[in-house]
Amino acid sequence: MTTGARADLEAGHVTSRRGGALPASSATAGLEQAAAAEGGNIRKDLFLAYKTLGVVFGGLVTSPLYVYPSMNLASPTKDDYMGLYSIMFWTLTLIGVVKYVGIALNADDHGEGGTFAMYSLLCRHADIGILPSKKVHSEEEPLIHNQSAVDRRPSWLGKFFERSITARRVLLFMAILGMCMLIGDGILTPAISVLSAIDGLRGSFPSVSKPVVEALSAAILIGLFLLQKYGTSKVSFLFSPIMAAWTFTTPIIGVYSIVRYYPGIFKAISPHYIVHFFLRNKKEGWRMLGGTVLGITGAEAMFADLGHFSKKGIQIAFMFSIYPSLVLTYAGQTAYLINNVNDFSDGFYKFVPRPVYWPMFVIATLAAIVASQSLISATFSVIKQSVVLDCFPRVKVVHTSQHKEGEVYSPETNYILMVLCVGVVLGFGAGNSIGNAFGVVVIMVMLITTIMLTLVLIIIWRTPPALVALYFIPFFIMEGAYVSAVFTKIPEGGWLPFAVSMILALIMFGWYYGRQRKAEYEMANKVTVERLGELLARPEVQRVPGLCFFYSNIQDGLTPVLAHYIKNVSSLHAATVFVTLRYLLVAKVDERERILVRRLGPAGVYACTVQYGYADSFRGDDLTAQVASRLRRHVEAEAGAGAEEAAWLEAAWKAGVVHVRGKMRFYVGEDAGWFDRVMLGFYEFLHGICRSALPALGTPLQRRVEIGMMHKV
C-alpha cells in the first residue's frame, strides 16, 4: 500500500477514479482485492518464470558445454583466459541484460516477439509495409485510432521509409533474413547441445568412438522432435525441473572451482583485460571472438519465445537464475583452465569434480535435450507469424493451448527440422565444425534485432536522438566486430546456415512476390455491388437452387473470380453468401460477435464476416449452420417480408450447401520479363504444393468447389 493510500484510509475515505469518495470499509475491501490480485500476478509470473527454464533458456544456459571446446586456442596463457572471461561477462551483461531484458522484450507485437513481430509492429504504426497480407485485427485497434494526431504523425524516419520503396524492401528483407537465421539456429542448437553433452562419455570411456556418440545424439533428437506434438505447456512442465537442476548445480561447481583453482578470477570483470587481450593477440584475438559469441547463444529465444510466456516471467528467470548461473559457471571453468591451460577442448567435463562426474553427465544430457526445445519453439512461433502475415506458404499450425496464443506446433516444420538437425549431427560430427556454423546465425540474428530495435525506438517510441545513439552505436560496433569475426568461419562450416537461410529466403520472397502481384490484380479488378447487379441482370444468368458460400479475401468489394464464374457458368445460387475471414488477436471470439452478416444490393446476395481467435476451431457443418441461422435471424428482424425471406432461406438451405473458393493462377506469356517468369513460376509451384485455405475451415470435401481463373502477366 502506498503512503498516500494509507493516509486517505486513516482519514476514513479513499477518492475513487471518478472523483467520488468511497467509505473506509469499501476502500479497505478494494485495497485488499488489489493486493490479492497483485499477489496472484506475482505467483503467476514466478510460475511462468519457472516454466521458461524448460523452453526459453535451454540454449543459453547450456552454452558452457561447447563455448571453450569451440575455440581453436593455440598455447593459451592465464592472461588469455582472463581476457576471454572478461569478453564473455560483458557480452552477457550488455546483450543479455541491457539489450534483451531491458529493451527488446518491450518491443513486442501483441505479445509476440522476434524480427517479424517487430516488422509487423512497425507496419502498424507507419505506412511502411509492402506485404499484401491479410488484415490482422486486435481489440486494441480503437485505442490506436483514438490517438492524437501528433502521436500518429510519422517521424522523420517513418516518412523516409514511406517515400522509399527500396528502403521498405530492405526492411522486409531484414525481417525475412532474421526469421531464416533463427530457423537456422533451431537446426544447430539441438545438434551442438546434445552432441556436446553425449561427448562426455568419451571422457571416462575412451573406447567409445565418435560415430557411436553421433548415433546416440541423433536418436535422442528424433525422440525430442516426436514429443513436440504434445504442446509447449506439457513439454515445459516435463523439462523445467531438469533445467532447474542444471541451472543451480553448475554454478555450485563453478564456485567450488573458483575457490580451489583461482579465487581472483573476478578481477577479469575489469574491461582493461579485454584491451590487453586484443593488444596481445591482435588478429588471433579477433578470430577468437567467433568462439566467445557462443556464450550468448540462445539469447534471441528470449525475444522470439515471448508469445509462449510473459515478459515479466522471462525477465525474472533471466535476472535471478540464468544470468548469475552463467557468470559463476564461466568463472569456474576459466579458473580451472588457468591452472590447466591445455584442457580447453573438453572445457566443461574436465572442470567437473570426479565424485559428481556421472550425475553431472546425466543432468548435462537431459539439459541439452531441453536446450534443443527453446529454438524449436521459437521456430514454430516465427513460422506462425509469417503465415499469418501471408509471407510464407500455408502450413498446418496447431494451437496447443486454449489460453496462450503463442503456443503452436507445425507438423511440417517439425519434421523438416528433425531431418536437417539429424543430418547436421551425422554430417558434421565434430563440435568445432558445428560451432563455426553456429556462431554465424547467432550473431546475425542479434545484429538484425539491433537495427530493427533502433527503428522501433525512432519511429514508434519517439526516443530522443541522444538515447538512440547511446543504444545503437555501442551495440552496432560490438555485434559488428562479432559478425566480422564469425564470417571467417564460413569455409569451416559457416556455409550451412547461409545455405538454409538462402533457401528459406527464396521461398519467402517468391511467395511474397506472387501474393503481391495477385493482390494488385484483385484490387484493380474487384467486383463492386453495382457491377454484381449488372451481371445478375443479364437474361442468360440463372439463379439455381441452394445456398452457396463464396470465399473472398477482399474486404472492400468482391473477388474478380466472381465475375469470371458468372460469365462462364451463367448462374449463381439463389442464396449466395460472400464470406470474409477476419483473424482477431484474442483467444476466442464471443459467439454473438463471431458471425456478422449484412445484405448486399441484389436479391438473395449477402456478405458475411467470420471473426475468429487463435483458440477457435471450425467444423464445416457447424459453421455453415451458424451462418445460416444468423442470416435467418437477420432477415426476420427486418421490417416487411422478413418472415417470407427467412422461409425462402430455409428452403435454399434444404436444397443443398456448397462452398466455393476462387483460385487465381498466373499465366506467364512469352512477352513477360525473365524475372516474372522465374518468380511467378516459382510462386505457382509453391501455391500448388501448399495447403488450401478451405480444409482449415473444416468444410466437407464433397461440398467443396474451387474455381480456377488465369491471369496473364
Side-chain angles (χ1 to χ4, degrees):
M1 187 185 303
T2 64
T3 304
R6 186 179 292 108
D8 285 338
L9 183 58
E10 290 171 353
H13 69 276
V14 172
T15 303
S16 71
R17 289 185 180 181
R18 298 190 180 186
L22 299 175
S25 59
S26 299
T28 304
L31 290 169
E32 286 176 352
Q33 289 175 358
E38 186 177 350
N41 289 335
I42 292 173
R43 285 193 295 272
K44 181 181 177 181
D45 288 334
L46 289 174
F47 180 64
L48 283 175
Y50 167 72
K51 289 177 69 177
T52 61
L53 297 179
V55 176
V56 177
F57 295 109
L60 182 59
V61 81
T62 55
S63 55
L65 283 169
Y66 47 78
V67 169
Y68 276 118
S70 296
M71 295 183 190
N72 295 317
L73 303 175
S75 302
T77 64
K78 169 190 169 182
D79 290 335
D80 289 336
Y81 283 120
M82 295 287 280
L84 288 170
Y85 178 69
S86 188
I87 292 170
M88 288 190 285
F89 173 82
W90 286 108
T91 300
L92 275 170
T93 303
L94 293 175
I95 294 181
V97 177
V98 178
K99 176 181 170 180
Y100 282 101
V101 172
I103 302 174
L105 290 179
N106 296 300
D108 66 295
D109 182 33
H110 296 293
E112 289 285 354
T115 55
F116 248 65
M118 280 193 291
Y119 178 77
S120 175
L121 187 68
L122 288 165
C123 289
R124 285 196 298 104
H125 286 79
D127 187 19
I128 61 178
I130 53 176
L131 288 173
S133 58
K134 66 186 80 171
K135 177 70 174 173
V136 177
H137 300 268
S138 167
E139 290 180 329
E140 296 179 16
E141 281 190 336
L143 299 176
I144 294 172
H145 294 313
N146 291 333
Q147 287 176 339
S148 68
V150 174
D151 290 338
R152 289 186 281 110
R153 189 184 305 145
S155 65
W156 65 269
L157 189 58
K159 291 178 181 177
F160 168 75
F161 276 99
E162 289 175 0
R163 289 193 302 265
S164 173
I165 184 65
T166 302
R168 298 204 300 273
R169 285 173 176 166
V170 169
L171 181 62
L172 173 64
F173 176 76
M174 284 175 53
I176 289 175
L177 189 60
M179 192 213 78
C180 295
M181 286 289 180
L182 190 64
I183 295 174
D185 204 351
I187 296 167
L188 295 172
T189 294
I192 194 170
S193 300
V194 175
L195 195 61
S196 299
I198 299 298
D199 200 50
L201 282 173
R202 303 179 68 222
S204 293
F205 299 103
S207 59
V208 176
S209 63
K210 277 191 174 292
V212 172
V213 171
E214 293 165 14
L216 283 173
S217 302
I220 289 170
L221 289 170
I222 290 171
L224 174 66
F225 280 103
L226 294 178
L227 281 176
Q228 296 303 311
K229 63 183 178 182
Y230 296 107
T232 304
S233 292
K234 297 180 179 63
V235 170
S236 62
F237 179 78
L238 176 67
F239 286 168
S240 291
I242 298 168
M243 191 51 67
W246 169 268
T247 304
F248 294 111
T249 54
T250 51
I252 292 172
I253 296 175
V255 171
Y256 167 81
S257 183
I258 292 167
V259 173
R260 179 178 177 183
Y261 294 108
Y262 192 68
I265 184 62
F266 288 110
K267 291 187 298 183
I269 292 176
S270 172
H272 88 272
Y273 282 95
I274 299 176
V275 176
H276 286 297
F277 174 80
F278 287 115
L279 290 176
R280 187 170 54 256
N281 291 283
K282 298 182 174 63
K283 185 177 179 180
E284 282 305 310
W286 166 70
R287 288 175 61 87
M288 276 188 268
L289 286 175
T292 58
V293 73
L294 298 183
I296 198 67
T297 294
E300 184 69 22
M302 274 195 282
F303 190 30
D305 272 343
L306 186 56
H308 291 248
F309 297 98
S310 71
K311 180 176 72 175
K312 282 188 178 179
I314 292 173
Q315 289 172 329
I316 290 170
F318 183 81
M319 292 304 300
F320 294 101
S321 64
I322 305 302
Y323 177 69
S325 174
L326 287 172
V327 168
L328 291 173
T329 303
Y330 282 124
Q333 277 187 284
T334 309
Y336 169 82
L337 290 172
I338 285 173
N339 284 269
N340 302 272
V341 293
N342 293 317
D343 283 351
F344 60 87
S345 61
D346 195 9
F348 178 78
Y349 284 110
K350 287 288 178 68
F351 107 104
V352 174
R354 300 311 297 176
V356 295
Y357 183 91
W358 286 112
M360 283 307 300
F361 171 78
V362 173
I363 294 175
T365 302
L366 295 174
I369 295 171
V370 178
S372 307
Q373 181 63 50
S374 62
L375 271 301
I376 295 171
S377 300
T379 301
F380 292 156
S381 292
V382 294
I383 288 290
K384 188 216 80 171
Q385 290 171 20
S386 52
V387 169
V388 168
L389 285 171
D390 211 3
C391 194
F392 197 81
R394 284 183 297 270
V395 295
K396 185 176 182 180
V397 176
V398 180
H399 288 275
T400 56
S401 171
Q402 295 291 314
H403 309 289
K404 197 66 178 171
E405 193 265 348
E407 291 193 16
V408 293
Y409 163 69
S410 172
E412 294 100 329
T413 306
N414 185 58
Y415 294 119
I416 290 172
L417 275 178
M418 181 178 73
V419 170
L420 291 173
C421 188
V422 172
V424 166
V425 169
L426 299 179
F428 278 80
N432 282 350
S433 299
I434 302 178
N436 291 336
F438 203 10
V440 175
V441 294
V442 167
I443 197 60
M444 281 297 294
V445 173
M446 290 182 181
L447 184 61
I448 290 170
T449 299
T450 292
I451 295 170
M452 296 194 73
L453 266 176
T454 304
L455 299 180
V456 171
L457 289 170
I458 297 171
I459 295 174
I460 300 175
W461 294 349
R462 308 296 175 93
T463 307
L467 293 179
V468 174
L470 191 62
Y471 162 75
F472 178 73
I473 294 173
F475 282 104
F476 187 78
I477 291 173
M478 179 172 63
E479 293 172 351
Y482 272 124
V483 167
S484 66
V486 299
F487 265 41
T488 63
K489 307 291 185 181
I490 288 180
E492 303 168 17
W495 58 268
L496 176 67
F498 269 111
V500 172
S501 298
M502 288 306 296
I503 292 170
L504 289 170
L506 178 63
I507 291 172
M508 292 188 70
F509 186 77
W511 183 262
Y512 150 72
Y513 186 75
R515 299 299 282 181
Q516 184 185 50
R517 295 295 298 271
K518 179 176 181 289
E520 289 171 354
Y521 176 80
E522 286 185 331
M523 292 306 296
N525 297 276
K526 64 183 179 183
V527 177
T528 62
V529 174
E530 293 77 14
R531 174 62 175 156
L532 176 60
E534 294 173 4
L535 290 170
L536 294 179
R538 292 182 177 182
E540 68 272 15
V541 176
Q542 303 295 317
R543 303 297 294 272
V544 298
L547 177 60
C548 172
F549 289 85
F550 208 115
Y551 294 88
S552 173
N553 290 327
I554 301 178
Q555 298 279 350
D556 181 21
L558 301 170
T559 173
V561 177
L562 173 63
H564 174 73
Y565 173 71
I566 295 176
K567 287 177 182 177
N568 286 276
V569 182
S570 298
S571 67
L572 191 69
H573 283 75
T576 301
V577 184
F578 293 97
V579 181
T580 303
L581 303 179
R582 193 176 188 221
Y583 177 59
L584 301 180
L585 286 166
V586 295
K588 284 182 176 290
V589 176
D590 188 276
E591 288 191 6
R592 294 170 295 179
E593 300 176 0
R594 178 172 294 182
I595 299 170
L596 308 175
V597 296
R598 72 181 191 277
R599 186 193 302 276
L600 294 180
V605 180
Y606 309 90
C608 170
T609 301
V610 178
Q611 303 187 124
Y612 64 99
Y614 56 80
D616 282 319
S617 60
F618 291 108
R619 287 185 296 178
D621 291 334
D622 288 348
L623 180 63
T624 303
Q626 290 175 31
V627 173
S629 174
R630 183 59 58 89
L631 266 178
R632 286 195 295 269
R633 291 201 302 271
H634 178 74
V635 299
E636 284 173 352
E638 293 181 341
E644 182 181 342
E645 187 175 353
W648 174 76
L649 279 171
E650 181 70 23
W653 162 268
K654 292 179 179 178
V657 178
V658 64
H659 298 262
V660 177
R661 173 177 172 259
K663 195 170 186 179
M664 199 194 80
R665 308 297 296 268
F666 289 105
Y667 174 74
V668 185
E670 293 295 328
D671 53 341
W674 68 269
F675 187 78
D676 274 344
R677 268 186 266 175
V678 172
M679 296 308 299
L680 294 180
F682 185 50
Y683 168 77
E684 284 297 309
F685 168 74
L686 294 173
H687 198 272
I689 62 174
C690 79
R691 288 178 177 268
S692 171
L694 283 183
L697 293 172
T699 53
L701 184 62
Q702 63 272 21
R703 297 181 187 173
R704 196 185 306 164
V705 176
E706 292 193 349
I707 305 298
M709 176 181 176
M710 299 299 293
H711 164 46
K712 184 177 180 180
V713 179

